[in-house]
Amino acid sequence: MDSTEAKLAGPEAQTGIGVVCPFDMALDRELWRWMPADVSLFFTRTPFFDEPVSLGMAEDVSDDADILNAVKNLSAVRPAVIAYACTSGSFVNGVSGARHISKVMASAGDAQGISTSGALLEALDHLGASRVVVVTPYVADLTLRLGGFLEEAGHSVVSQAGLGLEGGIWEVPYQATCDLIRGADVPEGDVIFISCTNLPTYDIIAPLERELGKPVLSANQVTAWASLRRLGKAAVGPGQRLLA
């Protein structure tokens, strides 16, 4: 083999993570930012529903049949892990609902399954944190449902705040999210969780952790972290406490 042929070796072997997300997911690129170079993400989406972000939409995008079809779409590329990347869709039916989604995906896709809300509980346990400041882009009843999910799992919600949005969540600027977090934070909280996989957070996590002196978790961060953890791989997020 001459030197020219040697340069053509590759490409590098990839391990795949399948991502089942709602039809309105706009932050595929953000999830990629946590990935090491030898991991690829394979995205698929649940069917479109003409409704605002709400409890009803959360229930619709977590339908078993739709998730099974999405997993079937991913099966051709044989991911080792399948993540259901939707916070509200995985907390809307409580802790048992989050576990059910993971089991449905694992059984249908011959892969390990994890949901965003399940990943959140894993992250809280990993950090040994239990007094949660909850920050969301949601309307009030959806934010309250997240609080109920955390309390059912044995955690305390010490403060919560939401933006009251019914759509366009991916367009929220970092400054608006940071202002909401600063206003919601209280001394008794030992961790902050920013909900929704459609809310941009990657660049604000580490700076807020330094400023507020506590871990800041986000929906996409915990989804990436828990998925990679199942592969024995580390997420890429400089300065983020969960990933230390």
Side-chain angles (χ1 to χ4, degrees), residues 56-241:
M57 179 175 164
E59 291 167 352
D60 285 339
V61 299
S62 58
D63 177 76
D64 276 6
D66 291 337
I67 292 173
L68 284 169
N69 284 334
V71 171
K72 184 177 180 181
N73 289 340
L74 290 168
S75 63
V77 291
R78 301 189 299 277
V81 174
I82 300 177
Y84 177 72
C86 179
T87 325
S88 61
S90 53
F91 70 62
V92 69
N93 293 311
V95 174
S96 63
R99 290 174 180 159
H100 175 72
I101 288 173
S102 295
K103 290 177 181 177
V104 165
M105 293 190 301
S107 64
D110 192 27
Q112 299 181 76
I114 184 65
S115 70
T116 297
S117 296
L120 168 60
L121 299 184
E122 287 186 14
L124 292 173
D125 289 345
H126 179 75
L127 293 171
S130 62
R131 299 185 302 279
V132 188
V133 175
V134 171
V135 175
T136 85
Y138 308 139
V139 293
D141 56 355
L142 203 49
T143 299
L144 288 170
R145 183 69 65 92
L146 172 55
F149 170 85
L150 287 165
E151 289 170 350
E152 181 191 352
H155 301 287
S156 300
V157 176
V158 297
S159 176
Q160 57 187 12
L163 290 172
L165 299 179
E166 295 183 327
I169 291 169
W170 63 90
E171 299 172 326
V172 174
Y174 280 150
Q175 189 62 55
T177 304
C178 289
D179 290 345
L180 188 68
I181 291 167
R182 293 186 183 108
D185 188 33
V186 292
E188 57 266 33
D190 59 9
V191 65
I192 295 166
F193 175 59
I194 313 167
S195 192
C196 191
T197 54
N198 229 1
L199 183 65
T201 59
Y202 187 92
D203 295 304
I204 64 175
I205 293 172
L208 282 171
E209 289 181 325
R210 292 193 296 269
E211 174 188 337
L212 302 175
K214 63 188 68 176
V216 175
L217 304 176
S218 81
N220 279 330
Q221 180 205 44
V222 299
T223 304
W225 169 80
S227 298
L228 288 165
R229 197 181 190 202
R230 282 158 170 73
L231 300 175
K233 297 180 182 293
V236 180
Q240 297 178 17
R241 292 195 186 189

